[in-house]
Amino acid sequence: MALSVYNTLARRKEAFIPGDPDRVTMYVCGPTVYSFPHIGNARPAVVFDVLARLLRRRHRLVYARNITDVDDKINAAAAAAGCPISEISTRFTAAYHQDMAALGVLPPDVEPTATAHIPDMQAMIGKLLVRGHAYAAEGHVLFRVKSFPGYGRLSGRDQRELLAGARVEVAPYKEDPGDFVLWKPSTPDLPGWDSPWGRGRPGWHIECSAMAGRHLGETIDIHGGGNDLIFPHHENEIAQSTCAHDGATFSRYWMHNGFLNVDHTKMSKSLGNILLVRELLGQAPGEAVRLALLSAHYRQPLDWTADVLVQARRNLDRLYGSLREVAGWEEEAAGTGPDAAFVAALEDDLNTPRALAVLFDLSRDINRGGDEAGRRRLAARLHASGALMGLLGAQPEAWFTAGAPTGLGNAEVEQLISARRAARERRDFAAADRIRGELAAAGILIEDGPEGTRWRRAGQGS
Ligand code: AMP
Ligand code: ZN
């Protein structure tokens, strides 16, 4: 089986055939860093992290996920907090990194920031002007939508309907109401860069086109994001990139995750129902939040309720419970790959619910008992499958102790460390690892050196 993905542009599932199998490129629209990430923002990060892990099995991948660090929402947040704009973007970029790491999201290969790519954006705007796809007016530069016949293909909207659309801003300097901003003037209190069109800042859409072009090339394999971005953001990215690159295809595949709602309701500031990742991390381990996000197919809407998280935690209890039952599977782990049915489910347009069902089947087979060697093989396969989805990376024992009250005293820590040394001496590495996991769960970090084992509490200097 090979990977197939639902391509929003083609409106069907297609076999994934990259331009160059030795350099697959993927760009995913990252966060606008003006507040803490909410659970909806985590959905594309987790979904495309699974896709990245899957692609890496067969290809060399260059995965870029940007940081939008110049945006009117950031300016507004800085004004409200009475601090410099860069303080807001730095703070919330760090918060994003922290929260995504807690969800087991691996860092992308490239994480470009908009502010570091202003010359690329200006160069692209210059090209669009020369080719007649853009025009300057009153300090703005606008994209001339009528100059690109393919406009509307991704979102399936008719151009006339788009141009007459109610959602677009009507401004006197626009030739057509559907034309969108590539560059806009900045007042002295706002971030701005000198340009041939005066001091200003980029529009949001050109940021992604320029960053994708710089890091991945003119044609990329996969472009992803939430389905709220299909129009206008991705439609506009296609228009800009295609026109600046003389008609070259911008992205071969477009993938969009469905929206996440909370208790059947769209999250919004005005309703006060925005659920932050860090709030959830206070209620459950990051791994449970991750599994909950993957429990629905990525293209389906996901209704987040307290129960979804409770269920995810229970499911992890089941899986880790099976691993804990089997002694010595770790020794099999190195030579064991993920389950074939599990991989097939993921390669079928990231069917994570089906993939999870395979994990539960494996867990059931382990619990059935039978010969120890067979159970060890199953456990190793369960573990390797979980890894492909970014799950089951903890020591089983640590999973069960992590939720319990911790706070080991120094004497207890010393006791556990000697028990671990004894286990190692009798070559019971599973027991030794279990103890290390227990210590880690209690926030105790250990380091083996020539003079024995040293330890410290996490968060304290060494
Ligand atoms: P933003 O920081 O708002 O630009 O969003 C970052 C990413 O999160 C984009 O890919 C959005 O499409 C996605 N996103 C935002 N809200 C949700 C939601 N409620 N459900 C799913 N994806 C979302
Ligand atoms: Zn984008």
Side-chain angles (χ1 to χ4, degrees):
M1 264 285 281
L3 175 63
S4 66
V5 298
Y6 183 90
N7 184 354
T8 309
L9 191 60
R11 290 176 181 69
R12 61 181 148 87
K13 233 193 270 186
E14 294 183 328
F16 175 69
I17 303 164
D20 174 0
D22 294 326
R23 187 177 185 271
V24 171
T25 50
M26 175 160 84
Y27 185 94
V28 174
C29 292
T32 306
V33 281
Y34 68 100
S35 62
F36 292 108
H38 59 59
I39 186 65
N41 299 133
R43 193 174 192 195
V46 168
V47 162
F48 289 102
D49 177 63
V50 173
L51 181 57
R53 289 169 190 253
L54 190 63
L55 286 166
R56 286 208 170 90
R57 289 189 77 227
R58 292 180 192 265
H59 306 283
R60 206 172 74 75
L61 172 73
V62 189
Y63 173 22
R65 189 190 63 209
N66 72 291
I67 298 279
T68 298
D69 61 349
V70 50
D71 185 276
D72 290 346
K73 281 184 252 169
I74 304 174
N75 303 340
C83 70
I85 286 162
S86 59
E87 204 174 302
I88 295 287
S89 53
T90 307
R91 177 165 166 224
F92 291 112
T93 300
Y96 185 78
H97 287 156
Q98 224 175 38
D99 290 358
M100 294 311 118
L103 301 183
V105 174
L106 300 173
D109 302 291
V110 199
E111 194 175 48
T113 59
T115 51
H117 293 76
I118 303 292
D120 290 319
M121 297 172 204
Q122 293 186 347
M124 202 166 203
I125 295 170
K127 278 190 190 167
L128 292 170
L129 281 163
V130 169
R131 289 161 170 75
H133 291 295
Y135 56 96
E138 297 179 31
H140 292 74
V141 182
L142 292 126
F143 186 90
R144 187 177 277 127
V145 165
K146 268 193 181 150
S147 75
F148 179 54
Y151 197 78
R153 246 186 84 203
L154 181 72
S155 55
R157 293 173 194 218
D158 176 82
Q159 257 209 41
R160 270 175 328 220
E161 177 195 335
L162 283 174
L163 296 183
R167 293 199 342 163
V168 287
E169 187 196 349
V170 182
Y173 47 81
K174 286 188 181 180
E175 284 178 6
D176 234 312
D179 293 351
F180 59 88
V181 167
L182 300 170
W183 190 261
K184 56 190 167 190
S186 277
T187 49
D189 56 314
L190 289 176
W193 291 263
D194 289 332
S195 82
W197 322 288
R199 183 178 175 277
R201 60 194 196 281
W204 170 37
H205 316 301
I206 195 75
E207 295 179 5
C208 283
S209 278
M211 289 185 274
R214 157 65 60 186
H215 295 281
L216 304 180
E218 293 191 353
T219 299
I220 61 182
D221 290 309
I222 299 174
H223 195 313
N227 64 10
D228 58 320
L229 302 184
I230 296 175
F231 185 84
H233 186 51
H234 290 164
E235 198 73 77
N236 293 355
E237 277 189 46
I238 292 177
Q240 298 160 156
S241 295
T242 312
C243 293
H245 300 145
D246 301 316
T249 297
F250 174 41
S251 181
R252 293 189 173 87
Y253 300 87
W254 286 86
M255 294 177 69
H256 293 99
N257 63 270
F259 241 50
L260 179 150
N261 290 322
V262 172
D263 295 321
H264 313 287
T265 315
K266 188 174 168 169
M267 275 186 280
S268 80
K269 248 195 195 148
S270 55
L271 289 175
N273 65 343
I274 294 182
L275 202 49
L276 299 182
V277 171
R278 47 191 56 205
E279 286 174 61
L280 291 166
L281 290 173
Q283 298 167 17
E287 195 177 344
V289 178
R290 181 182 178 96
L291 189 143
L293 285 170
L294 295 172
S295 61
H297 187 261
Y298 78 95
R299 282 193 286 121
Q300 298 301 318
L302 172 59
D303 192 35
W304 189 278
T305 58
D307 193 49
V308 170
L309 193 53
V310 170
Q311 194 55 45
R313 202 172 179 160
R314 264 194 220 129
N315 285 339
L316 282 168
D317 282 346
R318 255 167 87 187
L319 299 175
Y320 275 118
S322 303
L323 291 179
R324 192 172 53 171
E325 287 306 302
V326 183
W329 59 264
E330 293 90 339
E331 279 127 59
E332 306 256 347
T336 307
D339 185 272
F342 176 86
V343 174
L346 287 184
E347 289 193 332
D348 181 9
D349 191 32
L350 287 190
N351 193 332
T352 55
R354 209 171 88 210
L356 286 170
V358 176
L359 298 188
F360 299 129
D361 287 348
L362 286 169
S363 154
R364 191 199 49 215
D365 292 347
I366 293 168
N367 297 350
R368 253 194 208 136
D371 80 287
E372 270 312 292
R375 290 178 89 208
R376 272 204 298 276
R377 271 198 302 278
L378 287 171
R381 201 185 305 155
L382 170 60
H383 184 257
S385 305
L388 189 51
M389 239 165 120
L391 298 171
L392 304 180
Q395 292 291 335
E397 203 57 49
W399 167 262
F400 289 103
T401 48
T406 52
L408 297 177
N410 288 2
E412 288 154 303
V413 172
E414 298 289 358
Q415 217 171 31
L416 282 168
I417 287 178
S418 7
R420 174 170 169 267
R421 188 172 46 243
R424 282 157 65 106
E425 273 162 14
R426 62 172 194 271
R427 305 191 68 75
D428 185 356
F429 296 112
D433 281 346
R434 227 172 10 246
I435 296 169
R436 180 190 263 268
E438 243 177 272
L439 288 163
I444 308 295
L445 306 177
I446 58 177
E447 209 179 303
D448 295 316
E451 310 86 17
T453 302
R454 296 196 316 161
W455 66 273
R456 65 187 166 89
R457 294 183 190 276
Q460 294 175 4
S462 46

